[in-house]
């Protein structure tokens, strides 16, 4: 069963200290928040947050349309929850969401929000009990999102800046990748895999990259039960999983050599959740929103510095730890203190 989204919730639409009106001579970035990231054994990118004044963590998941909290975390944090109409929204396994939680206070670094409403996941969300929830696209798309994955730094910037003037870090080469942000908030990026152009879903919640079986067969001539694909077990005891090592994966000039991709049939046909070690908890890349042939996960992303300009519909990528060089944008400027928002009931 495909995930269904009939209603959506504004999550953490924080309004920072207002950036000044931009002129041709003033293209500074305004940094709203910055925290260190950690990476779990399942390759989840985790940041520290504060919920109701209690320090905890959330995973950054560009592949999840909505921000959600684990039901055990909601209970331990004594969150106020409210029943919602069942049958309105589902997980990719067909589980219906039943509760929504209201956060009196929610903080990421120096950013502060009040009265935030997020979904309570109907079952265990992460294997790691220290992860309270998932920060999804509904939160992230309100900002420019800076992921320095190798250095484990997560930053949020104001979207009010001159187009293209965002690469503030030293670099030797920048790939400027056009992106398509679909209705669900998913980011679709063009890639080239062994010379074949494909549409890929950028998914920081997936530990590995995944190619659809349909594309493996139709585009690359790779077929199950042949030496082309190596068997790698099954999901839910019924869906065969394979893997194959390709020669190269390219994103507008950034080349990733010898990527090993997992291959399986379209999961939405089976109404199955992606494996906890390999995929996001939520998915809504349907015919209406666009079909991704490839899910680009952390195995291929982990050595990149990625700046996602949602409003600009561009992604700026450099290889990790580049040599010192002058950057193409001024150094970011703090936006002048804590930011806040209040979302009504």
């Amino acid at each position: 069963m495909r995930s269904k989204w009939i209603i959506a919730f504004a999550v953490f639409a924080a309004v920072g200290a207002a950036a000044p009106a931009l002129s041709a001579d003033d293209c500074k970035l305004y940094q709203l928040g910055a925290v260190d990231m950690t990476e779990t054994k399942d390759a989840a990118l985790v940041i520290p947050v504060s919920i109701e004044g209690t320090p905890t963590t959330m995973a950054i998941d560009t592949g999840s349309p909505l921000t959600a909290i684990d039901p055990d975390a909601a209970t331990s944090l004594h969150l106020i929850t409210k029943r919602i109409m069942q049958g309105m929204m589902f997980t990719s396994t067909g589980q219906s969401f039943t509760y929504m939680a209201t956060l009196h206070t929610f903080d990421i670094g120096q950013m502060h929000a009040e009265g935030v409403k997020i979904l309570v996941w109907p079952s265990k969300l992460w294997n790691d009990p220290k992860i309270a929830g998932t920060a999804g696209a509904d939160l992230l798309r309100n900002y420019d999102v800076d992921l320095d994955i190798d250095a484990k730094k997560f930053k949020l910037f104001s979207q009010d800046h001159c187009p293209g003037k965002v690469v503030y870090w030293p670099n030797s080469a920048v790939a400027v990748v056009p992106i398509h942000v679909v209705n669900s908030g998913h980011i679709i990026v063009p890639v080239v895999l062994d010379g074949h152009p494909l549409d890929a879903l950028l998914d920081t919640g997936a530990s590995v990259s995944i190619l659809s079986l349909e594309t493996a067969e139709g585009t690359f001539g790779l077929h199950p039960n042949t030496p082309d694909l190596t068997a790698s077990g099954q999901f839910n005891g019924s869906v065969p999983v394979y893997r194959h090592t390709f020669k190269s994966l390219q994103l507008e000039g950034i080349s990733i050599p010898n990527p090993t991709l997992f291959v399986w049939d379209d999961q939405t046909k089976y109404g199955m959740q992606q494996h906890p070690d390999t995929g996001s908890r939520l998915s809504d890349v349907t015919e209406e929103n666009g079909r991704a042939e490839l899910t680009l996960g952390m195995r291929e992303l982990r050595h990149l510095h990625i700046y996602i300009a949602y409003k600009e519909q561009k992604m700026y990528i450099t290889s990790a730890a580049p040599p010192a060089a002058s950057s193409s944008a001024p150094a970011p400027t703090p936006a002048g203190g804590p930011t806040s928002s209040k979302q009504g009931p």
Side-chain angles (χ1 to χ4, degrees), residues 184-203:
S184 62
H186 283 121
I187 299 170
I188 306 299
V189 301
V191 301
V192 178
L193 181 63
D194 282 5
H196 295 276
L198 301 174
D199 288 330
L201 168 67
L202 184 78
D203 192 351

Side-chain angles (χ1 to χ4, degrees), residues 133-314:
T134 291
D138 56 345
L139 183 159
L140 301 173
R141 69 190 302 175
N142 296 297
Y143 309 96
D144 279 8
V145 176
D146 185 24
L147 297 168
D148 190 346
I149 299 173
D150 195 60
K152 301 298 186 291
K153 298 291 183 181
F154 172 80
K155 300 177 183 178
L156 295 175
F157 290 89
S158 167
Q159 295 181 336
D160 294 325
H161 56 74
C162 293
K165 302 299 182 179
V166 301
V167 184
Y168 63 88
W169 61 93
N171 65 87
S172 58
V174 180
V176 182
V177 183
I179 64 176
H180 175 48
V181 181
V182 299
N183 292 337
S184 62
H186 283 121
I187 299 170
I188 306 299
V189 301
V191 301
V192 178
L193 181 63
D194 282 5
H196 295 276
L198 301 174
D199 288 330
L201 168 67
L202 184 78
D203 192 351
T204 59
S207 64
V208 299
S209 296
I210 305 158
L211 184 69
S212 72
L213 180 60
E214 180 181 1
T215 302
E217 292 179 327
T219 302
F220 298 96
L222 303 175
H223 300 280
N225 304 317
T226 72
D228 295 336
L229 295 175
T230 302
S232 296
Q234 293 183 332
F235 287 138
N236 282 5
S238 61
V239 183
V241 179
Y242 309 92
R243 69 178 186 273
H244 180 80
T245 300
F246 293 82
K247 294 179 181 179
S248 69
L249 177 66
Q250 295 182 323
L251 295 91
E252 294 292 332
I254 298 292
S255 182
I256 301 170
N258 304 317
T260 297
L261 307 185
F262 283 77
V263 178
W264 66 72
D265 206 353
D266 184 357
Q267 296 176 65
T268 59
K269 295 178 182 178
Y270 301 93
M272 63 173 291
Q273 184 180 20
Q274 293 179 0
H275 190 276
D277 295 343
T278 59
S280 296
R281 279 46 181 176
L282 269 164
S283 180
D284 189 30
V285 186
T286 63
E287 286 84 353
E288 294 78 14
N289 280 327
R291 174 69 64 184
E293 301 157 294
L294 170 68
T295 297
L296 193 56
M298 288 303 301
R299 177 177 289 179
E300 279 61 51
L301 298 174
R302 69 185 329 121
H303 297 302
L304 300 176
H305 190 149
I306 301 172
Y307 188 104
I308 305 169
Y310 277 93
K311 183 178 179 181
E312 192 181 344
Q313 300 263 334
K314 295 285 180 63

Side-chain angles (χ1 to χ4, degrees), residues 47-62:
I47 61 169
V49 301
S50 175
I51 297 176
E52 310 295 46
T54 300
T56 184
T57 62
M58 276 188 161
I60 299 299
D61 191 353
T62 60

Side-chain angles (χ1 to χ4, degrees), residues 311-325:
K311 183 178 179 181
E312 192 181 344
Q313 300 263 334
K314 295 285 180 63
M315 191 165 66
Y316 299 85
I317 303 176
T318 65
S319 297

